[in-house]
């Protein structure tokens, strides 16, 4: 194979796509479009990936979606298929979000928890990928790992866990 298969989309399961769209808009500042509303919503994070100098590079953002677990589309049968509820018992989707320089892990976690998310951890550094991180589980069972790059000489604050 000369060219690898390409990831084009990831979507999150939800029993209430409208509420999920409102949650992600408030927590991450993302634009969310109903396509059609209540059935499938497209998340448009916005902007291209930044280059080291802060300008936008040629690579566009990765779109995501929210699908209604009552009848996940597309599917050949108009009635959909089982299961019809989000998986909430055990590991589910885990998404890594690079926190913008003009935002913060604390703001995102606070907004998420205020809207019903469960904080999983905060104040952790992972040397393997040189990043400061925290995580929460949204009200629909999806895990979001919030990530801030450590830079050339990461200084781990006192009291933080690290590995």
């Amino acid at each position: 194979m000369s060219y690898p298969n390409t990831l084009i989309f990831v979507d999150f399961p939800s029993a209430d796509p409208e509420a999920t769209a409102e949650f992600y808009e408030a927590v991450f500042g993302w634009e969310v479009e109903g396509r059609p509303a209540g059935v499938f919503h497209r998340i448009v994070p916005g902007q291209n990936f930044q280059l080291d100098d802060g300008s936008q590079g040629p690579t566009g953002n990765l779109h995501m979606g929210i699908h209604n677990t009552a009848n996940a589309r597309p599917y050949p049968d108009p009635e959909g298929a089982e299961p019809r509820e989000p998986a909430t018992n055990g590991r589910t989707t885990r998404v890594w979000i690079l926190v913008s320089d003009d935002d913060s892990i604390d703001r995102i976690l606070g907004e998420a928890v205020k809207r019903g998310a469960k904080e999983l951890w905060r104040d952790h550094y992972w040397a393997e990928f040189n990043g400061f991180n925290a995580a929460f589980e949204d009200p629909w069972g999806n895990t979001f790992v919030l990530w801030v790059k450590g830079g050339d000489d990461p200084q781990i604050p006192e009291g933080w866990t690290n590995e």
Side-chain angles (χ1 to χ4, degrees):
M1 178 174 15
S2 60
Y3 191 82
N5 297 308
T6 304
L7 173 69
I8 59 168
F9 217 84
V10 173
D11 59 289
F12 308 111
S14 172
D16 188 348
E18 295 283 345
T20 308
E22 290 174 14
F23 179 91
Y24 294 158
E25 286 171 342
V27 171
F28 294 115
W30 292 339
E31 177 183 339
V32 183
E33 308 165 334
R35 308 251 338 243
V39 176
F40 186 86
H41 291 237
R42 182 174 76 162
I43 301 168
V44 186
Q47 305 292 327
N48 287 359
F49 288 102
Q50 286 187 338
L51 300 174
D52 289 342
D53 67 4
S55 65
Q56 288 191 47
T59 306
N61 58 63
L62 304 174
H63 292 177
M64 297 168 286
I66 304 163
H67 73 272
N68 190 334
T69 55
N71 190 348
R73 309 308 310 154
Y75 189 76
D77 181 347
E79 300 302 315
E82 297 294 333
R84 296 185 186 276
E85 62 282 327
T88 57
N89 188 12
R91 298 277 183 205
T92 59
T93 305
R94 190 165 81 154
V95 181
W96 298 57
I97 303 297
L98 182 61
V99 176
S100 173
D101 289 341
D102 63 355
D103 205 348
S104 72
I105 285 177
D106 288 337
R107 190 213 58 84
I108 293 170
L109 272 178
E111 191 67 34
V113 169
K114 179 174 84 174
R115 295 174 175 278
K118 174 184 173 186
E119 182 178 308
L120 299 176
W121 74 83
R122 68 168 56 227
D123 301 341
H124 183 70
Y125 174 77
W126 193 14
E128 181 67 28
F129 291 102
N130 188 23
F132 299 97
N133 58 89
F136 68 87
E137 181 181 289
D138 75 11
W140 302 276
N142 302 298
T143 298
F144 287 83
V145 179
L146 307 174
W147 197 263
V148 173
K149 294 177 184 176
D152 292 336
D153 184 25
Q155 300 300 306
I156 303 166
E158 188 175 327
W160 281 50
T161 56
N162 68 82
E163 61 182 296

